[in-house]
Amino acid sequence: MAEVTRGNLDAPDEVIAFPKITAKLVELGELTVGLMVSEPGWRWSEHNRPKVGGEWCQARHIGVVLSGRLGIDFSDGSSAVFGPNDVFDIPPGHDGYTLGDESVVQVEWAGLRAWAGFPTGVHSRVLRTLLFTDLVDSTEIAGRVGDARWRELLSAHFIGARAELERFQGREVTTTGDGIVATFDGPARAIHCAAAIRRRANADDLHMRAGVHVGEVELVGDDVRGVAMHEAARIMAAAETDEILVSELTRALAISTELRFEDRGTRTLKGLDGEWKLAAFVE
């Protein structure tokens, strides 16, 4: 007899609930099938985003609407509406919502995990190189040059930093007032990018500090979370003016790229256990 995998939506393996929307999930090997019911007034950006993060839903949804009307606004300004018996393949970068006074009932077989903020359980955790930067004495500079000039300098700094992120294939996660947080596939690119951003800042008579750290993070929509993020932030905070500090693991992984480092000894980093061996990148 052929091997059959079976589940039942009346006895789901998992139930995920956000305000005004519920999903019953059945696991069939590597496939997750879900029955979703979104109540009138539900909108992803209002009811899911506060927990999931990101500006737009980054899941690719494939499924069919059984009843009700589902509205979709896309990041490019376009929109679509799906009604009963419509089969859909919705790309990432959208905001979904219930249209009218009737709940939307739909079945999906792709995108449920990403929609819920944990793409595939443990597989949402990945190894990334993290870069944190921060301008030094920004409050003092703003007071000296005035608000208008400081806004110009800060805008130019972010434009330059983003150009370097693109050049070294980094991905911006967020900005932190006068700094930037980004991820990279490897430490060498992150370190070279930090050095390039520093050169641009120095050319405008600005100074910065940076921290580079390799660790496991959780991808939640457009957001990146996890202890490694806090570790990278603390490493950056320990850096001196115009210094690029890296963790011991980062240095070990980057050593084969012929990058040079100077030992900075061991530090106790605020809020983190134990002592951390750090090194500074030397151009």
Side-chain angles (χ1 to χ4, degrees):
M1 180 178 177
E3 183 178 349
V4 176
T5 304
R6 185 194 302 271
N8 192 294
L9 291 168
D10 288 331
D13 297 307
E14 186 175 357
V15 177
I16 299 172
F18 290 92
K20 292 185 175 292
I21 188 168
T22 302
K24 297 180 179 180
L25 307 187
V26 171
E27 304 287 352
L28 298 176
E30 296 182 356
L31 179 66
T32 300
V33 178
L35 177 68
M36 300 175 64
V37 179
S38 54
E39 301 173 16
W42 170 79
R43 180 177 281 270
W44 180 88
S45 56
E46 179 180 352
H47 299 103
N48 292 53
R49 182 167 61 186
K51 183 175 180 180
V52 173
E55 183 176 0
W56 300 92
C57 177
Q58 293 301 317
R60 177 193 177 190
H61 298 279
I62 301 176
V64 58
V65 174
L66 302 181
S67 62
R69 297 172 69 229
L70 174 67
I72 301 291
D73 291 340
F74 295 98
S75 57
D76 65 2
S78 61
S79 61
V81 175
F82 301 93
N85 299 322
D86 281 339
V87 180
F88 54 79
D89 184 348
I90 301 170
H94 59 268
D95 185 16
Y97 52 95
T98 300
L99 270 171
D101 297 327
E102 181 183 358
S103 294
V104 175
V105 180
Q106 57 186 301
V107 173
E108 289 194 14
W109 49 87
L112 286 163
R113 289 295 182 183
W115 167 85
F118 38 96
T120 52
V122 298
H123 299 296
S124 65
R125 299 193 62 83
V126 296
L127 196 66
R128 287 287 186 271
T129 300
L130 308 172
L131 168 63
F132 277 66
T133 73
D134 180 50
L135 290 177
V136 177
D137 296 329
S138 56
T139 302
E140 178 184 330
I141 297 171
R144 185 175 72 247
V145 303
D147 289 341
R149 176 56 180 158
W150 172 242
R151 285 195 296 269
E152 291 177 0
L153 286 171
L154 189 58
S155 177
H157 174 69
F158 281 134
I159 290 172
R162 287 170 177 137
E164 299 301 342
L165 284 178
E166 183 176 355
R167 182 157 74 102
F168 291 101
Q169 299 178 36
R171 185 180 78 81
E172 180 180 342
V173 176
T174 188
T175 56
T176 57
D178 51 11
I180 202 162
V181 180
T183 64
F184 295 79
D185 289 338
R189 285 178 179 169
I191 294 168
H192 282 303
C193 185
I197 294 173
R198 179 176 62 185
R199 287 192 294 271
R200 283 179 177 262
N202 291 167
D204 289 330
D205 199 25
L206 298 174
H207 301 276
M208 58 163 275
R209 60 173 62 91
V212 181
H213 179 48
V214 177
E216 190 179 57
V217 297
E218 185 176 6
L219 304 181
V220 182
D222 285 339
D223 200 8
V224 179
R225 302 176 185 174
V227 175
M229 293 286 284
H230 299 289
E231 294 170 345
R234 295 306 184 190
I235 291 169
M236 180 203 69
E240 301 293 335
T241 298
D242 284 332
E243 190 172 53
I244 300 170
L245 274 187
V246 307
S247 61
E248 184 177 15
L249 176 58
T250 305
R251 179 180 182 176
L253 292 173
I255 204 73
S256 62
T257 62
E258 300 183 355
L259 296 177
R260 297 190 301 118
F261 301 91
E262 290 182 354
D263 287 332
R264 289 294 186 262
T266 57
R267 310 276 185 93
T268 300
L269 302 180
K270 183 179 179 180
L272 302 180
D273 294 333
E275 292 188 325
W276 288 72
K277 188 174 181 180
L278 303 177
F281 168 64
V282 180
E283 287 194 88

